[in-house]
Amino acid sequence: MLLRNYWKSRHKNGRGPAPCWIRPGLAAVLWFCVTQLGSGGGAVGETKSVVQKDAEFDVTYNDTVTSENQTIYAFNHTVSRNKTEGVRLSVDVLSQDLDSTILFVVRQKQAVLSFQVPLILRGLYQRKYPYNHVGRTLCQPPTRAASETQYFFVDVSTLSSQGTNYQLRVSRVESFTLQTDKKFSFTASPSQPQYFKYVFPDGVDTVIVKVNSDMTFPCSVMSIQDIQCPVYDLDNNVAFIGMYQTMTKKGAITVQRKDFPSNSFYVVVVVKTEDEACGGPLRFYPLRPDELIDAGNRSKVLDVVVTPAINSKVYVMGMLFCLGIFFSFYLLTFLMACVENKRMNKKRELFQNPSDMSPAETASLLGKNGDGKTPASPYEYGSFADNGSTLSSEAITDSATSTDNNYGYMERSLDSVGRSRQESLSSVEEDDYDTLDDINSDKNIVRTKKFLCVADLARKDKRVLSKKYQIYFWNIATIAVFYALPVIQLVITYQTVVNVTGNQDICYYNFLCAHPLGALSAFNNILSNLGYVMLGLLFLLIVLKRDIVHNRALVRNDLNALECGIPKHFGLFYAMGTALMMEGLLSACYHVCPNYTNFQFDTSFMYMIAGLCMLKLYQKRHPDINASAYTAYACLAAVIFFSVLGVVSSHHKLDKALVIFSAQDKLLVVLFCLQVFGKGNTVFWIIFSVIHILATLLLSTQLYYMGRWRLDSGVLRRMVYIIYTDSIRQCSGPMYIDRMVLLVMGNIVNWSLAAYGLIERPNDFASYLLAIAICNLLLYFAFYIIMKLRSGERIQCLALVCILFTAVIWGFALYFFFQGLSTWQKTPAESREHNRDCILLSFFDDHDIWHFLSSIAMFGSFLVLLTMDDDLDTVQRDKIYVF
């Protein structure tokens, strides 16, 4: 045995094959030594003969191996420094006896490859799949010489005493080196993986490796590995090194030259033994732990192509395009501010020189009727019925007069208003009005009138309400800081894990349009969120300008600012602008590594934006009774809690995690969690639907009675009494018809959404929850616009342009949103089937365009809320109706 090993070493390190006259002599000496050792007293086992054969490429060798003989095949080939040829070894074991295992060992200059046939590959739950046909590509060590002859040996041995037939063939892989932009097709299977080499051409620093197949299954893995031996090309070790991702029909990995010092890399394609990782079924369940399962035919036809990625010029163009779009809004706003300032200066000059104005100009400045009043609203002309009768204008006028006298509203002189504004801010608090008995009784009378005016719900001190609504801004700013910091820390950790492990299945990118920059894998998806931040900041500047102008008007005791129009409270607007900026920041954080565990980052401030917009719509004509910041944010926190719970409970990965954990202790607790919060579980959806419907009913009651009701033990008794007296005894309709119409429509929508969720149980619970918020916001906004027009109010040109512009932008934005370039509701491999190439400047994909358009649409929606009631700035508040 020692002589045999010595001879192998000498032969391997030599420059060429041993002379033919030496081989028979060495073989004889080797045979004599082995025979003597086998029959000597210190030997253990039987005599084993070793046969070495000079083998050639592209020749099939049919041989038999037993425990008594070992065969060595010696190959040599010329390796060139400028040309790399692949060498592939194919082995077939003809025996069906799975106990007759043959060991193949390939010894090369700088590498050793060994495998057994039948090759046993393991799947989930220790399933074992045998493969009798194995094909492996040999790792090619680099050479420094211009041309060199290299030797490698294939040793074939077994411990089985029975003879086992096998076939062995070594061939050259002509297309081992991939060419840029040239597609190459090949076939792979679990026991016959394939890999190819790619060398970066001059002037190309980044490439995209794309692997495609017309077959969804079997599931496969593509990997990018450095040029080194060994190459990890089996299902059980392909994840040990480099970058890798599972795939069904599509796979793509962006590779940068800086990550590979040799300026080249291997593209490895491995077919998995099972399809579970790609969303496929598990068909085989072994009856015994060591039972071998026939996997059947798992060959897959694939093609690979390597294309150059974008260069630095495209990066610069993409960034300039993004900045240019949103800076144009700043420029447009500046120009409009200049025009508005010029118009206001002209109006101020006309007021200072009234002799220069014509009667028509005077009337247009004071009001449509020339007396500072708008035309009578449909309310005043009896357009609304009261229990089937039409109200006359005189009756409404008398009612308005009586309410003015009885409910505390009176015309205040500018001097008294000015003196009240000089009082200390701390001398008046909101609660001071709610602790007086007469005010409490007055509220019950005022807020239950059939027709309310804004003056009836704007009775509290403006400074107190301004302070109340400023809390919205400070609270959301505090929330943003405490929310954003751990989010940023977490996504940095995610990106680090992806870069270190190379596991491309952690993040759900659009891999066909994911442009890296530094440590970021998809810089374009992050850059496109810049619009939310820039337009949110612009909206804050616009609101700040309006706030400053309004405060100046209050300081100079402007009658229109004090007693006319919708009360100006800008705290909610500041909160909306901050929420839009935070949506951009958190959406960018989510797109650092998008997956189901951090989707909450992308949606949390969407819920806040929808909630704040509804609150702002309600606050416009209900400033005294709008929800406080603490109540509002507590409700939004509950929504986000259910969002997180729904995302976790509806995702399939939770089931696997709990099943794995159930193998440990605490089985009962885990099974309970799985039962309550498992994927698509009926219990969770029943609980959520009941809470959704109850919340809708409670909010409807709160809005209908303007907060003048109590939720206590006697609420059911009062409900029965009201139904009996109003509906059964008197058969009277609802007192507040318009409110009832809105609330009935809102309940129909919400009950329908609750039923849909209970029946369909969508996987994307966060989007389902967001759809509920958006539907309610759109319903309330449509109701507000309709009632505004019914009340005889008009929408000014700027607000109308904003409404039309925003509606069009929202339409295009939703089109790009529903393109669905990736989805974490499926496995990473299934998600990649939706990936598509860039469509804008070779840099941005459909989802990036959604970011652009949705940020513009949100900005436009905020402008609509800001400007839609500008027509009322000269109308007294006792003439502005509440709806």
Side-chain angles (χ1 to χ4, degrees):
M1 295 295 289
L2 294 175
L3 288 175
R4 182 181 63 176
N5 293 335
Y6 174 76
W7 179 85
K8 290 180 186 177
S9 176
R10 295 281 295 179
H11 189 81
K12 178 181 177 182
N13 295 329
R15 289 288 180 178
C20 58
W21 61 270
I22 296 180
R23 294 176 189 170
L26 288 177
V29 172
L30 181 62
W31 174 258
F32 173 79
C33 293
V34 170
T35 303
Q36 295 300 318
L37 289 173
S39 59
V44 179
E46 301 177 354
T47 303
K48 193 167 197 176
S49 64
V50 178
V51 178
Q52 176 170 320
K53 298 180 180 180
D54 288 334
E56 298 180 356
F57 284 79
D58 300 319
V59 176
T60 302
Y61 295 92
N62 292 277
D63 280 321
T64 302
V65 63
T66 67
S67 59
E68 298 179 355
N69 70 291
Q70 177 179 354
T71 305
I72 301 175
Y73 297 90
F75 295 88
N76 68 83
H77 66 133
T78 302
V79 178
S80 175
R81 183 174 56 192
N82 299 325
K83 181 181 180 181
T84 303
E85 283 187 346
V87 177
R88 189 161 181 84
L89 170 65
S90 299
V91 175
D92 270 310
V93 172
L94 305 180
S95 174
Q96 299 299 322
D97 186 4
L98 297 178
D99 294 331
S100 302
T101 301
I102 303 177
L103 178 63
F104 292 85
V105 179
V106 182
R107 295 178 289 114
Q108 298 175 263
K109 183 178 180 180
Q110 297 180 7
V112 175
L113 172 67
S114 64
F115 56 89
Q116 70 177 45
V117 182
L119 180 65
I120 306 298
L121 296 177
R122 295 182 181 270
L124 285 177
Y125 313 117
Q126 300 303 313
R127 292 181 177 89
K128 297 179 181 179
Y129 300 92
Y131 294 91
N132 286 340
H133 179 64
V134 178
R136 305 291 296 274
T137 302
L138 304 185
C139 182
Q140 295 299 306
T143 178
R144 297 181 179 179
S147 179
E148 179 184 354
T149 300
Q150 292 186 354
Y151 298 88
F152 64 92
F153 304 91
V154 180
D155 299 353
V156 183
S157 61
T158 183
L159 294 179
S160 175
S161 58
Q162 300 178 356
T164 305
N165 297 326
Y166 65 90
Q167 291 181 347
L168 182 145
R169 181 184 179 90
V170 175
S171 57
R172 291 181 173 88
V173 182
E174 298 296 337
S175 301
F176 182 70
T177 302
L178 299 175
Q179 303 298 318
T180 305
D181 289 327
K182 289 186 178 180
K183 184 184 296 185
F184 177 73
S185 298
F186 59 94
T187 302
S189 69
S191 62
Q192 302 175 75
Q194 299 272 9
Y195 66 86
F196 308 93
K197 183 180 180 180
Y198 180 79
V199 180
F200 281 97
D202 294 336
V204 176
D205 294 325
T206 307
V207 295
I208 301 178
V209 181
K210 303 176 184 177
V211 179
N212 299 296
S213 176
D214 294 331
M215 306 167 61
T216 302
F217 297 112
C219 178
S220 54
V221 179
M222 66 172 296
S223 172
I224 304 297
Q225 300 181 21
D226 201 358
I227 304 295
Q228 62 181 18
C229 298
V231 176
Y232 297 95
D233 59 349
L234 290 178
D235 184 23
N236 57 7
N237 62 18
V238 69
F240 287 178
I241 194 172
M243 299 179 289
Y244 63 93
Q245 61 181 222
T246 55
M247 60 164 288
T248 51
K249 291 185 175 181
K250 289 182 181 180
I253 296 180
T254 301
V255 186
Q256 301 182 77
R257 183 195 291 263
K258 66 180 181 64
D259 297 329
F260 297 92
S262 62
N263 295 329
S264 57
F265 56 86
Y266 285 137
V267 180
V268 184
V269 178
V270 178
V271 176
K272 296 184 70 66
T273 57
E274 295 173 340
D275 298 327
E276 192 272 343
C278 296
L282 283 173
R283 297 177 297 168
F284 306 108
Y285 293 89
L287 299 178
R288 296 185 301 273
D290 294 332
E291 181 181 355
L292 297 176
I293 303 173
D294 183 10
N297 181 19
R298 292 188 62 82
S299 297
K300 187 171 187 176
V301 179
L302 308 102
D303 57 72
V304 58
V305 60
V306 183
T307 58
I310 60 174
N311 54 30
S312 59
K313 293 182 180 179
V314 180
Y315 277 85
V316 174
M317 286 296 297
M319 289 185 280
L320 292 178
F321 173 80
C322 185
L323 292 172
I325 287 180
F326 300 114
F327 271 124
S328 64
F329 283 88
Y330 280 78
L331 179 61
L332 181 61
T333 303
F334 176 75
L335 294 177
M336 293 183 64
C338 292
V339 172
E340 178 69 15
N341 187 53
K342 184 177 180 180
R343 189 180 68 85
M344 293 301 295
N345 289 337
K346 182 177 180 181
K347 181 184 292 188
R348 191 176 297 109
E349 292 175 358
L350 292 176
F351 270 119
Q352 293 174 356
N353 302 286
S355 59
D356 298 337
M357 288 191 297
S358 64
E361 291 174 334
T362 304
S364 65
L365 290 174
L366 293 177
K368 286 187 177 181
N369 295 335
D371 58 356
K373 297 181 180 180
T374 56
S377 72
Y379 285 93
E380 295 180 301
Y381 286 102
S383 61
F384 294 95
D386 182 11
N387 295 331
S389 63
T390 304
L391 299 176
S392 65
S393 61
E394 290 82 7
I396 296 296
T397 305
D398 293 339
S399 174
T401 306
S402 63
T403 55
D404 288 347
N405 294 332
N406 295 334
Y407 304 132
Y409 180 82
M410 63 184 65
E411 297 292 341
R412 289 178 290 176
S413 66
L414 295 181
D415 293 338
S416 64
V417 173
R419 285 194 302 271
S420 66
R421 287 204 48 83
Q422 302 302 322
E423 297 176 1
S424 171
L425 182 63
S426 61
S427 64
V428 182
E429 294 293 339
E430 182 186 4
D431 295 338
D432 294 344
Y433 290 91
D434 296 333
T435 56
L436 301 176
D437 294 336
D438 57 338
I439 295 298
N440 285 330
S441 61
D442 187 61
K443 285 193 294 186
N444 290 326
I445 297 174
V446 171
R447 297 180 189 176
T448 54
K449 292 191 323 184
K450 186 172 182 60
F451 295 107
L452 282 171
C453 297
V454 171
D456 298 324
L457 298 179
R459 297 155 56 85
K460 295 181 179 179
D461 190 272
K462 298 179 181 62
R463 296 166 299 158
V464 177
L465 288 181
S466 178
K467 181 180 178 181
K468 170 185 176 180
Y469 292 121
Q470 283 296 332
I471 298 177
Y472 273 95
F473 168 70
W474 292 113
N475 278 10
I476 200 170
T478 305
I479 293 171
V481 172
F482 282 93
Y483 195 92
L485 290 179
V487 165
I488 294 173
Q489 181 182 8
L490 181 61
V491 297
I492 290 175
T493 303
Y494 266 117
Q495 186 66 73
T496 303
V497 170
V498 171
N499 295 339
V500 171
T501 64
N503 185 358
Q504 302 283 304
D505 284 351
I506 296 177
C507 306
Y508 287 72
Y509 301 117
N510 174 19
F511 287 89
L512 294 178
C513 187
H515 304 301
L517 182 66
L520 300 174
S521 299
F523 173 70
N524 54 304
N525 294 149
I526 299 172
L527 177 65
S528 58
N529 287 282
L530 183 64
Y532 297 105
V533 179
M534 294 184 64
L535 294 182
L537 178 60
L538 178 60
F539 182 74
L540 289 178
L541 295 177
I542 294 173
V543 173
L544 178 61
K545 177 182 178 298
R546 286 205 167 205
D547 195 3
I548 293 173
V549 170
H550 179 67
N551 288 332
R552 289 175 178 174
L554 293 178
V555 169
R556 65 173 181 266
N557 296 326
D558 190 324
L559 180 61
N560 288 338
L562 293 170
E563 302 295 336
C564 297
I566 299 295
K568 302 293 191 298
H569 301 293
F570 297 97
L572 272 168
F573 281 129
Y574 285 121
M576 289 162 56
T578 305
L580 184 57
M581 295 178 66
M582 286 304 303
E583 170 59 28
L585 175 62
L586 294 178
S587 178
C589 291
Y590 165 72
H591 283 90
V592 169
C593 182
N595 57 64
Y596 87 101
T597 59
N598 59 14
F599 185 59
Q600 176 205 350
F601 304 160
D602 195 26
T603 56
S604 295
F605 275 81
M606 290 185 184
Y607 304 139
M608 288 197 172
I609 289 173
L612 291 173
C613 288
M614 283 189 282
L615 286 170
K616 186 59 193 178
L617 271 176
Y618 189 76
Q619 183 218 41
K620 280 178 172 290
R621 305 194 184 223
H622 309 78
D624 284 1
I625 61 175
N626 201 22
S628 67
Y630 307 110
T631 303
Y633 288 129
C635 294
L636 292 173
V639 171
I640 294 175
F641 170 77
F642 275 102
S643 172
V644 175
L645 189 62
V647 168
V648 173
S649 64
S650 64
H651 200 266
H652 68 281
K653 290 187 177 181
L654 180 69
D655 295 341
K656 293 189 292 184
L658 291 178
V659 167
I660 294 172
F661 185 67
S662 65
Q664 310 298 326
D665 298 330
K666 304 179 182 179
L667 178 62
L668 294 178
V669 176
V670 172
L671 291 179
F672 172 77
C673 295
L674 182 61
Q675 180 67 23
V676 176
F677 300 114
K679 177 185 178 182
N681 192 273
T682 306
V683 175
F684 169 78
W685 281 99
I686 290 176
I687 294 174
F688 173 77
S689 299
V690 169
I691 293 175
H692 181 192
I693 293 173
L694 289 177
T696 302
L697 292 175
L698 291 175
L699 183 61
S700 300
T701 306
Q702 178 75 12
L703 295 178
Y704 186 77
Y705 289 106
M706 294 289 183
R708 309 317 301 160
W709 72 290
R710 297 189 307 274
L711 181 61
D712 52 22
S713 59
V715 65
L716 293 178
R717 178 180 55 82
R718 293 194 298 271
M719 288 174 58
V720 173
Y721 179 77
I722 292 175
I723 293 174
Y724 174 74
T725 56
D726 293 356
S727 301
I728 298 177
R729 292 187 58 183
Q730 299 181 5
C731 294
S732 59
M735 183 175 181
Y736 312 109
I737 298 178
D738 297 319
R739 268 182 260 168
M740 179 60 69
V741 170
L742 170 66
L743 296 175
V744 167
M745 293 177 61
N747 276 268
I748 291 175
V749 170
N750 282 277
W751 284 55
S752 301
L753 290 170
Y756 170 80
L758 187 60
I759 296 171
E760 297 295 332
R761 283 173 276 181
N763 287 333
D764 191 354
F765 182 80
S767 296
Y768 166 75
L769 205 57
L770 185 61
I772 294 175
I774 292 176
C775 287
N776 283 276
L777 174 60
L778 292 178
L779 178 64
Y780 190 26
F781 180 76
F783 172 81
Y784 191 95
I785 294 294
I786 292 172
M787 292 303 300
K788 180 178 176 67
L789 297 176
R790 284 190 63 194
S791 301
E793 301 171 10
R794 61 188 179 89
I795 300 176
Q796 289 189 342
C797 180
L798 178 60
L800 184 61
V801 170
C802 289
I803 292 174
L804 297 177
F805 173 77
T806 302
V808 172
I809 297 298
W810 269 125
F812 284 106
L814 291 175
Y815 169 78
F816 287 101
F817 174 76
F818 287 112
Q819 294 304 303
L821 301 182
S822 62
T823 171
W824 48 260
Q825 302 172 51
K826 301 179 180 180
T827 63
E830 292 174 307
S831 173
R832 273 184 277 275
E833 294 182 16
H834 303 280
N835 289 177
R836 287 202 293 272
D837 293 324
C838 304
I839 62 172
L840 179 63
L841 300 177
S842 299
F843 192 75
F844 299 109
D845 60 16
D846 299 76
H847 198 73
D848 295 323
I849 298 178
W850 150 255
H851 287 160
F852 291 145
L853 296 180
S854 62
S855 62
I856 296 172
M858 285 187 183
F859 175 71
S861 302
F862 289 1
L863 290 182
V864 171
L865 292 177
L866 185 64
T867 61
M868 64 188 304
D869 287 319
D870 285 352
D871 60 299
L872 303 176
D873 285 348
T874 57
V875 180
Q876 291 185 358
R877 289 172 187 162
D878 58 342
K879 303 299 182 183
I880 303 174
Y881 289 93
V882 173
F883 39 79

